Amino acid sequence: MVDDSRADRRFITRELKRCGSPYHVDTAETVAGAREMLSHKHYDCVLLDYNLPDSDGLALMEGMHHMPGNGHTGVVMITGEGNEKIAAQAIKLGANEYISKKQMDGRRLSVALDRAIEHSRARRTRDHQRLVMENFASSAAHDLANPLSGLIGFLTLAQQSFEKGTTERVPEFLENAMTSALYMKQLVMDLLHYARTGTSADDPEVVNVADSVRTALNVLAEAIEKSGAIIRVGDLPTVEAYPTELVQLFQNLIGNSIKYAGDKTPEIDISATQEGDHFIITVADNGVGIPENSRRAIFTPLLRLYNEGVEGSGLGLAICTKIMDLHHGEIWCDEREGGGSYFRFTLRPRLED
Ligand code: ADP
């Protein structure tokens, strides 16, 4: 609360208390004092008087949205009677609500604070999502630009060979161009798959997790056969889940355990433990492992670690994250003593729990 009048501050505090408002209130009496407080602490909302001794409330608002930690803080402006112009200006500068001093009571204050906080949270989520989308779009464009340059390069070489009449290397150039084009096609298909994951129209069902694993293993039969992978499946629970997506999740994790086995024969253990109201499912492997500082980053779309000669587009784990979002669960990666990785995720017996 930024207000220089002791009487108003008392009134507001009392009224909020009377209405059972859950908020903790810190107070400042000047714009400078409020700036100081905002530079040290995050606030959900500022209840801001217009008339302040060192400046006006609008001046505080102007700088506020650039303050780290308070860039999305909600603002409820308190204006004097007949100050509609100021209220309009405050809204223009980003205030979420305004209340006239004369009409102010606990109920109105509580409603305005709740709304302002809700708006500012929605804006924060929107801005975050926009940032994620921008990063994703720029990574996707970057990843597509590489094979596209290759494609253009090899087609140019083929064209120049025809112009010069020296065509003996043309088949090689065309084959390389085709490799780049196929890689691009795969990447575009994977991007589409990623974009569509989670928009499933199917309803959740009661699923025996062991059945999902079995289906995933069938899909991966060729890779399992080729690598000679040994796969052990422990007791797995029955949960409410999206069946197709759960199979996809196991397919991606088990597929990765085979792909990133290094020069060993893959050994993969799939098991479950119960922790309170949820299950933790673990896919453990004996592969190359993941450095500690990359264990979060690998879930970012299109991010791949150094893995020469292993095909992929860096979307498998990002798809797993989306599938876990759909299940209101979490997925993460832990180190496995003696080498390899643990990929773990949570499932609940009932989705709405
Ligand atoms: P992709 O396999 O297509 O690269 P993912 O999103 O599935 O994409 O994985 C991202 C990165 O995480 C991989 O490039 C790899 O470096 C690493 N990774 C994933 N799973 C494993 C694993 N089981 N063991 C070691 N590294 C892994």
Side-chain angles (χ1 to χ4, degrees), residues 190 252-261 283-291 294 297-307 310-320 333 340-343:
D190 289 349
N252 291 4
L253 295 181
I254 301 167
N256 277 351
S257 294
I258 297 173
K259 275 202 304 186
Y260 301 106
V283 176
D285 68 40
N286 62 337
V288 296
I290 295 152
S294 300
I298 51 172
F299 293 93
T300 310
L302 298 164
L303 194 136
R304 306 196 72 208
L305 302 182
Y306 178 73
N307 36 45
V310 183
E311 277 182 19
S313 44
L315 287 164
L317 291 177
I319 287 175
C320 292
C333 163
S341 316
Y342 289 120
F343 279 86

Side-chain angles (χ1 to χ4, degrees), residues 9 58 65 124 188 191 199 203 218 253 263 275 332 342 353:
R9 289 203 306 272
L58 297 179
H65 294 300
R124 192 199 318 255
V188 170
L191 283 166
T199 55
D203 288 332
N218 281 338
L253 295 181
D263 46 18
E275 300 262 324
W332 68 100
Y342 289 120
D353 296 340

Side-chain angles (χ1 to χ4, degrees), residues 49-77:
D49 189 18
Y50 174 71
N51 283 314
L52 292 162
D54 53 343
S55 185
D56 62 40
L58 297 179
L60 178 67
M61 282 190 58
E62 272 173 22
M64 228 177 85
H65 294 300
H66 302 293
M67 287 183 178
N70 285 297
H72 292 93
T73 299
V75 175
V76 176
M77 190 86 189

